[in-house]
Amino acid sequence: MYTGIVQAVRPLLDVAIYPGHRQFTIDLTPELLDELKIGASVSVEGTCLSVTEIHGTQVRFDAMNATLERTNLRCLQAGQGVNIERSAKMNAEVGGHLMAGHIATTAEVVELSIKDTGAFITFRVPPEWAKYVFPRGFLGVNGCSLTVADVDDGVVTINLIPETLRQTTFPRYKAGELLNIEVDHQTMVLVDVVERTLKGTLARQP
């Protein structure tokens, strides 16, 4: 589990492509390496990946094709930075909201605006997932726990504070690029239960 608070943006040193998967090599800081072991889970751009190799500060992760198809990891290139969060420890403060690192879908960036008066990002969520997104609700975007400002026909707007811009990869994203989206699990369960209940009620009506 993760808290949705990105700990650092770290450089992606290499992307190796193999049949069925890709291997990502990321340079981590001493703080992020603390007690890190093979098999440990780390959030990379919001995607839960397992450590496969550790060589000094260089840590490798494998992502299977099924993961690549569902996330924006397939778009990553060496030289870019990626959002990193170590898995949460017991009794750790949850500054964002609990996240699993299981990406539901990708969303296309519509606009990123960074001005002195404020910053925001808008992106289009596929219809089958947009039903789980509500104004003032939580949404995991590239591993960052964010509050939704507005939703209009599947286009989501989120305001970005200076600290979020400083601590994440959002500033490098451009219109047309993809973001990793993790919907709030409790919201998803609630919406699905209400949908099933309504369908069952309508089915029983004469």
Side-chain angles (χ1 to χ4, degrees), residues 91-121:
N91 300 319
E93 179 181 355
V94 180
H97 73 283
L98 287 178
M99 295 165 55
H102 298 162
I103 303 304
T105 187
T106 55
E108 181 181 344
V109 176
V110 175
E111 181 183 4
L112 173 66
S113 175
I114 302 176
K115 299 179 180 178
D116 291 339
T117 54
F120 66 85
I121 189 169

Side-chain angles (χ1 to χ4, degrees), residues 10-14 23-29 32-34 36-42 44 49-62 82 84 86:
R10 298 304 301 159
L12 177 59
L13 301 179
D14 184 63
Q23 185 178 74
F24 301 95
T25 302
I26 302 172
D27 185 69
L28 298 186
T29 62
L32 292 171
L33 288 166
D34 185 39
L36 186 68
K37 296 179 175 60
I38 302 297
S41 297
V42 177
V44 179
L49 297 179
S50 296
V51 175
T52 57
E53 297 180 37
I54 302 175
H55 301 283
T57 63
Q58 297 185 16
V59 181
R60 292 195 174 101
F61 304 85
D62 291 340
V82 290
I84 297 292
R86 290 282 305 275

Side-chain angles (χ1 to χ4, degrees), residues 70 104-107 124-134 153-154 181 183 187-188 191-192 195:
R70 185 182 290 272
T105 187
T106 55
R124 184 173 288 103
V125 178
E128 64 269 28
W129 294 102
K131 65 181 181 180
Y132 301 120
V133 185
F134 299 93
D153 195 25
I181 303 297
V183 298
T187 300
M188 185 168 63
V191 170
D192 287 347
E195 279 191 346

Side-chain angles (χ1 to χ4, degrees), residues 14-200:
D14 184 63
V15 179
I17 301 176
Y18 299 99
H21 77 284
R22 294 186 187 184
Q23 185 178 74
F24 301 95
T25 302
I26 302 172
D27 185 69
L28 298 186
T29 62
E31 292 78 14
L32 292 171
L33 288 166
D34 185 39
E35 297 185 2
L36 186 68
K37 296 179 175 60
I38 302 297
S41 297
V42 177
S43 172
V44 179
E45 286 293 284
T47 308
C48 179
L49 297 179
S50 296
V51 175
T52 57
E53 297 180 37
I54 302 175
H55 301 283
T57 63
Q58 297 185 16
V59 181
R60 292 195 174 101
F61 304 85
D62 291 340
M64 305 305 293
N65 280 350
T67 299
L68 297 171
E69 291 167 0
R70 185 182 290 272
T71 70
N72 69 8
L73 298 186
R74 66 185 183 275
C75 305
L76 295 180
Q77 299 178 6
Q80 294 179 324
V82 290
N83 289 339
I84 297 292
E85 183 189 353
R86 290 282 305 275
S87 56
K89 297 180 179 179
M90 292 293 293
N91 300 319
E93 179 181 355
V94 180
H97 73 283
L98 287 178
M99 295 165 55
H102 298 162
I103 303 304
T105 187
T106 55
E108 181 181 344
V109 176
V110 175
E111 181 183 4
L112 173 66
S113 175
I114 302 176
K115 299 179 180 178
D116 291 339
T117 54
F120 66 85
I121 189 169
T122 60
F123 48 88
R124 184 173 288 103
V125 178
E128 64 269 28
W129 294 102
K131 65 181 181 180
Y132 301 120
V133 185
F134 299 93
R136 291 169 295 283
F138 290 115
L139 197 63
V141 185
N142 281 13
C144 188
S145 171
L146 297 172
T147 302
V148 175
D150 188 38
V151 185
D152 183 11
D153 195 25
V155 176
V156 179
T157 300
I158 289 179
N159 296 318
L160 301 172
I161 63 174
E163 178 63 13
T164 300
L165 291 172
R166 184 189 69 81
Q167 191 71 1
T168 69
T169 58
F170 289 126
R172 74 168 168 83
Y173 277 85
K174 299 177 177 61
E177 296 184 327
L178 299 176
L179 300 167
N180 287 331
I181 303 297
E182 179 177 347
V183 298
D184 180 64
H185 182 70
Q186 291 182 330
T187 300
M188 185 168 63
V189 170
L190 180 60
V191 170
D192 287 347
V193 168
V194 170
E195 279 191 346
R196 285 198 297 269
T197 300
L198 289 174
K199 288 180 180 178

